[in-house]
Amino acid sequence: MLKTILSRGVNAMPTYEYHCDECQERFSIVETIAQHGKKRPKCPNCGSVKITQVFSSFFAKTSKKS
Protein backbone atom coordinates (compact mmCIF):
# COMPACT_ATOMS: atom_id res chain seq x y z
CA MET A 1 0.00 0.00 0.00
CA LEU A 2 1.28 3.46 -0.92
CA LYS A 3 1.03 6.04 1.88
CA THR A 4 0.86 9.74 1.01
CA ILE A 5 2.12 12.51 3.27
CA LEU A 6 1.04 16.10 2.65
CA SER A 7 3.90 18.43 3.50
CA ARG A 8 3.20 22.06 4.39
CA GLY A 9 -0.20 22.44 2.73
CA VAL A 10 -2.72 20.46 0.77
CA ASN A 11 -2.20 22.40 -2.48
CA ALA A 12 1.53 21.62 -2.69
CA MET A 13 2.75 19.61 -5.63
CA PRO A 14 4.33 17.46 -7.13
CA THR A 15 4.29 14.07 -5.43
CA TYR A 16 7.62 12.34 -4.72
CA GLU A 17 7.61 8.57 -4.13
CA TYR A 18 10.05 6.74 -1.85
CA HIS A 19 10.87 3.22 -0.68
CA CYS A 20 12.18 2.60 2.85
CA ASP A 21 15.25 0.34 2.87
CA GLU A 22 14.61 -0.62 6.52
CA CYS A 23 10.95 -1.71 6.63
CA GLN A 24 10.26 -1.97 2.87
CA GLU A 25 7.35 0.52 3.12
CA ARG A 26 6.52 2.52 -0.01
CA PHE A 27 5.23 6.05 0.52
CA SER A 28 4.86 9.39 -1.21
CA ILE A 29 5.35 12.97 -0.08
CA VAL A 30 3.54 15.94 -1.63
CA GLU A 31 5.67 19.09 -1.59
CA THR A 32 6.71 21.98 -3.80
CA ILE A 33 9.81 21.80 -5.96
CA ALA A 34 11.46 24.40 -3.70
CA GLN A 35 10.83 22.25 -0.60
CA HIS A 36 12.10 19.04 -2.21
CA GLY A 37 15.69 18.29 -1.23
CA LYS A 38 15.94 20.78 1.63
CA LYS A 39 15.68 18.06 4.28
CA ARG A 40 15.77 14.29 4.07
CA PRO A 41 12.31 12.74 4.50
CA LYS A 42 11.68 10.03 7.09
CA CYS A 43 9.68 6.85 6.62
CA PRO A 44 6.20 7.34 8.14
CA ASN A 45 6.16 3.68 9.21
CA CYS A 46 9.49 3.25 11.05
CA GLY A 47 11.05 6.75 11.08
CA SER A 48 14.17 5.68 9.18
CA VAL A 49 16.02 8.08 6.86
CA LYS A 50 17.42 5.15 4.87
CA ILE A 51 15.10 5.71 1.92
CA THR A 52 15.41 5.58 -1.85
CA GLN A 53 13.46 7.81 -4.21
CA VAL A 54 11.30 5.79 -6.62
CA PHE A 55 10.82 7.25 -10.08
CA SER A 56 7.37 6.66 -11.53
CA SER A 57 5.29 7.79 -14.46
CA PHE A 58 3.02 10.80 -14.21
CA PHE A 59 -0.19 12.06 -15.74
CA ALA A 60 -0.45 15.62 -17.04
CA LYS A 61 -3.90 17.11 -17.52
CA THR A 62 -4.11 20.06 -19.89
CA SER A 63 -6.97 22.16 -21.17
CA LYS A 64 -6.15 21.52 -24.85
CA LYS A 65 -7.44 18.50 -26.72
CA SER A 66 -4.94 16.56 -28.80
Side-chain angles (χ1 to χ4, degrees):
M1 174 187 265
L2 181 66
K3 293 183 181 179
T4 301
I5 301 169
L6 298 177
S7 177
R8 301 178 193 106
V10 177
N11 295 327
M13 58 188 308
T15 302
Y16 296 93
E17 294 185 23
Y18 297 94
H19 176 265
C20 178
D21 298 330
E22 291 289 324
C23 70
Q24 309 305 314
E25 182 78 21
R26 187 170 174 160
F27 63 97
S28 62
I29 298 177
V30 179
E31 59 188 359
T32 65
I33 294 171
Q35 293 168 333
H36 180 69
K38 286 192 174 180
K39 67 175 189 174
R40 190 163 184 94
K42 292 182 181 179
C43 174
N45 190 50
C46 70
S48 175
V49 292
K50 293 182 181 178
I51 59 170
T52 304
Q53 187 170 356
V54 177
F55 296 98
S56 59
S57 60
F58 70 94
F59 175 77
K61 184 176 179 181
T62 64
S63 60
K64 293 187 176 195
K65 294 181 180 180
S66 50

